[in-house]
Amino acid sequence: MTPNRPALSALLVLGALLAVLGTAGQAQAVGYRYWSFWDRDTAGGTWVYATQGPSTARPSDGDVQGFRFSVSEDSKHSAKPRGESGFAAICAKTPAREGAKRVALVLDFGTADDAPDGSTPPDPSPRTACARVGEDATTADALAAVAKPLRYDTNALLCAIAGYPRTGCGEAVSDGAGSGDRSTASPDTASQAPRRAGEPGDGEPGDGGPSVGLVAGIAAVAVLGAAAVLRARRRRG
């Protein structure tokens, strides 16, 4: 029996559509290696993802702020700083001074799974430090006072704290790496690059969905598949 060429073409096109859809799902399963920025909710004793970047946030005297280096898909599933130290414990040896404020910082360098290839976190446990800075100082100023050297990229994105990591800055990594909570990420957030330390609160690129090019490609394949099926039916009729 001679194959029905239009029908065969339709099957091939539909197969291509399924392949594109499968690739889209895989493309979304990606994480980012970066320093995330957190505020400590003293009332609830929990970490809350910061709504501003450290260069614009201006903490008050007595605040506790944290940084965590990890691989995560987005801010909702980003790994939080470890440790339960509060302001009283971290700043116990740093007396108050007129005209200055004290900010307690928790610096969590992450786990071996979070580290870039060939690197090891400088401390297995989080470091704590009490920064005494001017009353108008930002979190970035407090961080610079206690955790140099810092490294930023050309867009003022915080890439390294206390020299870690030596290279890289918010790079995408393959699925399955890192300590962030990746198992519960929803499809609409899985491909979203999170706001990283140094970026303003409204600086998250994209809405977490597939790219415009990907959507256009899927639509084009779908149209070709439908057209091929219609041609096959007309010829059979």
Side-chain angles (χ1 to χ4, degrees):
M1 180 183 294
T2 304
N4 187 316
R5 291 184 178 179
L8 180 60
S9 298
L11 290 174
L12 292 174
V13 172
L14 291 174
L17 172 60
L18 292 175
V20 171
L21 290 171
T23 302
Q26 293 177 1
Q28 290 180 343
V30 67
Y32 300 86
R33 180 179 286 115
Y34 68 104
W35 279 102
S36 56
F37 174 39
W38 302 79
D39 290 316
R40 185 76 172 174
D41 179 2
T42 54
T46 58
W47 289 107
V48 179
Y49 206 86
T51 58
Q52 299 184 66
S55 61
T56 57
R58 297 186 186 277
S60 300
D61 182 74
D63 282 351
V64 181
Q65 298 184 309
F67 292 84
R68 171 69 190 264
F69 188 77
S70 67
V71 175
S72 302
E73 288 175 347
D74 53 47
S75 60
K76 293 181 181 178
H77 305 94
S78 185
K80 299 178 181 180
R82 297 167 293 174
E84 302 296 330
S85 298
F87 177 81
I90 297 173
C91 289
K93 297 182 179 180
T94 306
R97 180 180 297 171
E98 186 176 355
K101 62 184 177 184
R102 294 172 298 165
V103 181
L105 296 174
V106 177
L107 311 177
D108 190 336
F109 295 87
T111 67
D113 289 338
D114 296 315
D117 291 342
S119 298
T120 303
D123 280 319
S125 300
R127 295 179 186 175
T128 60
C130 186
R132 187 168 54 197
V133 291
E135 293 178 332
D136 196 41
T138 64
T139 302
D141 295 329
L143 190 61
V146 297
K148 289 182 178 180
L150 305 177
R151 177 166 59 86
Y152 292 88
D153 72 356
T154 55
N155 296 313
L157 177 67
L158 178 60
C159 305
I161 295 176
Y164 181 80
R166 290 180 296 175
T167 60
C169 193
E171 67 272 19
V173 298
S174 61
D175 184 31
S179 60
D181 178 7
R182 303 168 62 78
S183 60
T184 59
S186 58
D188 64 331
T189 60
S191 65
Q192 181 176 344
R195 186 178 70 257
R196 285 148 280 190
E199 298 181 1
D202 59 353
E204 295 187 53
D207 60 1
S211 66
V212 174
L214 178 59
V215 173
I218 292 173
V221 173
V223 170
L224 289 173
V229 171
L230 289 174
R231 285 198 302 270
R233 288 178 176 176
R234 289 172 181 171
R235 292 189 179 185
R236 285 199 300 269

